Amino acid sequence: QTDLTISEAYYEFSFLKGRVTLDAGKMDISVLFDENEAAGDETTQFLSNIFVKSMGLTIPEPDNFYCPAFMVKVDPVDWLEFRVVGASVEDNNWEDIFTHGFGAAQVNFRPKIVGRQGNYRFYTWLDGRNHVKNSNLGIASDDYNDTHADETQKGWGVSFDQEIKDGIIGFFRYSQTDDDLASWNGDDMKWERIPFDKVWSCGAQVSGEYWKRRDDAVGLAYGQVILTDDYKRANDHTANEQYVEAYYRFQLHERFALTGDFQWIQNAGGDSQASDIYIFG
């Protein structure tokens, strides 16, 4: 048996001379907010998720990654943009799209500082799927619909990128969520403490024009995943995860590039006794 799956299929409509745009259909909500010019595309920039987006870290991914969603985008002036995103993120998201939804709102200030383009995005989000407070884990049953599972997870974040000089873009990303909630692990059919509540990263992308390779690029970034106090109290030998990544993208042809990538991860899984991980790709 062969199944045909369509990842994305949505309708886009613009009006008021393109100042207002509406998208609706089956979409990848991870690319609809928390974008970044220097750290937002794993196919051409950094590979590690901490340097691509906060979704999957402080922001939970949908049960089915491509899901029913909509986005309204408003650009009242050139230096300002508003976005509202809504989606059905639970496993049966096509059966009841108005239950346990996900929502996000973002404002992006796009100033030119000394003639250099910047993007300063501020966003907030909420996940309407069932969660349990850590203080109730001892009395909650292993049931997603337990009476104690009535908490909504929420959080906020920023994603900045700024051109520093010709061909050099710096970035900073930060997001945080509630520090006292447990989420449902559908594979093991049990509640698990959310281990971290804050993520931050920073770095830069430099164009190869400085060594006469205009289409090449090099990137360097550092980031941390911050564990919650509840998780530290419940586990031994904990420490915040730390990430370093560097890449060089070599443009061989207009439509073909090769990238060499190096990643170093310390305290993987929040374990201070874990060996450092080195990844070459």
Side-chain angles (χ1 to χ4, degrees):
Q1 181 179 351
T2 301
D3 294 327
L4 175 64
T5 299
I6 299 175
S7 296
E8 291 186 279
Y10 60 91
Y11 177 77
E12 181 171 282
F13 175 69
S14 296
F15 56 98
L16 296 180
K17 298 181 178 180
R19 292 292 186 181
V20 179
T21 302
L22 170 64
D23 292 353
K26 187 178 183 183
M27 305 170 70
D28 175 5
I29 66 170
S30 69
V31 302
L32 301 183
F33 66 103
D34 186 29
E35 323 96 282
N36 198 286
E37 293 299 318
D41 184 354
E42 70 276 12
T43 66
T44 61
Q45 297 168 330
F46 299 99
L47 285 172
S48 181
N49 194 62
I50 192 175
F51 304 126
V52 179
K53 57 179 70 74
S54 291
M55 182 156 280
L57 298 171
T58 54
I59 305 173
E61 293 180 348
D63 293 352
N64 294 324
F65 203 79
Y66 297 96
C67 55
F70 75 89
M71 178 181 71
V72 178
K73 182 175 68 172
V74 181
D75 297 82
V77 290
D78 292 341
W79 55 268
L80 183 63
E81 178 196 87
F82 298 97
R83 293 189 183 194
V84 175
V85 176
S88 177
V89 293
E90 207 166 43
D91 187 47
N92 61 344
N93 51 23
W94 287 103
E95 297 177 13
D96 191 352
I97 62 175
F98 299 108
T99 301
H100 303 302
F102 176 90
Q106 175 178 280
V107 56
N108 180 14
F109 297 96
R110 302 180 293 201
K112 284 194 174 182
I113 301 175
V114 195
R116 306 289 182 183
Q117 183 64 57
N119 290 279
Y120 295 84
R121 305 172 186 87
F122 301 82
Y123 60 86
T124 184
W125 58 269
L126 60 86
D127 177 10
R129 285 173 289 189
N130 291 342
H131 295 81
V132 169
K133 282 189 174 295
N134 290 336
S135 58
N136 288 332
L137 281 176
I139 56 177
S141 64
D142 289 336
D143 183 353
Y144 176 73
N145 294 310
D146 187 276
T147 56
H148 298 93
D150 59 355
E151 300 294 330
T152 296
Q153 188 184 9
K154 56 188 178 298
W156 64 273
V158 300
S159 181
F160 301 158
D161 59 76
Q162 175 65 55
E163 184 183 26
I164 299 170
K165 59 185 303 186
D166 290 349
I168 301 179
I169 302 175
F171 79 89
F172 173 77
R173 177 183 273 118
Y174 174 88
S175 64
Q176 75 172 55
T177 184
D178 302 303
D179 63 356
D180 61 349
L181 291 182
S183 61
W184 178 250
N185 183 331
D187 294 331
D188 296 333
M189 302 297 289
K190 65 179 183 179
W191 297 103
E192 293 182 345
R193 285 183 177 86
I194 298 174
F196 42 82
D197 63 333
K198 301 178 183 69
V199 173
W200 70 270
S201 61
C202 62
Q205 174 183 279
V206 181
S207 167
E209 64 186 72
Y210 288 97
W211 49 95
K212 299 181 180 180
R213 293 281 308 171
R214 182 175 58 86
D215 295 325
D216 289 8
V218 61
L220 178 65
Y222 172 77
Q224 281 192 330
V225 176
I226 312 298
L227 300 175
T228 68
D229 291 338
D230 284 353
Y231 184 83
K232 291 177 182 178
R233 283 191 289 265
N235 295 274
D236 298 325
H237 312 298
T238 60
N240 297 329
E241 287 185 338
Q242 301 190 66
Y243 291 78
V244 173
E245 183 171 356
Y247 72 85
Y248 186 95
R249 185 176 72 245
F250 186 78
Q251 194 76 29
L252 291 169
H253 182 268
E254 180 183 355
R255 301 184 183 277
F256 185 66
L258 289 176
T259 299
D261 186 85
F262 167 73
Q263 299 177 55
W264 171 34
I265 304 171
Q266 192 176 54
N267 306 324
D271 183 356
S272 63
Q273 296 185 333
S275 300
D276 289 3
I277 296 174
Y278 303 93
I279 303 172
F280 300 88

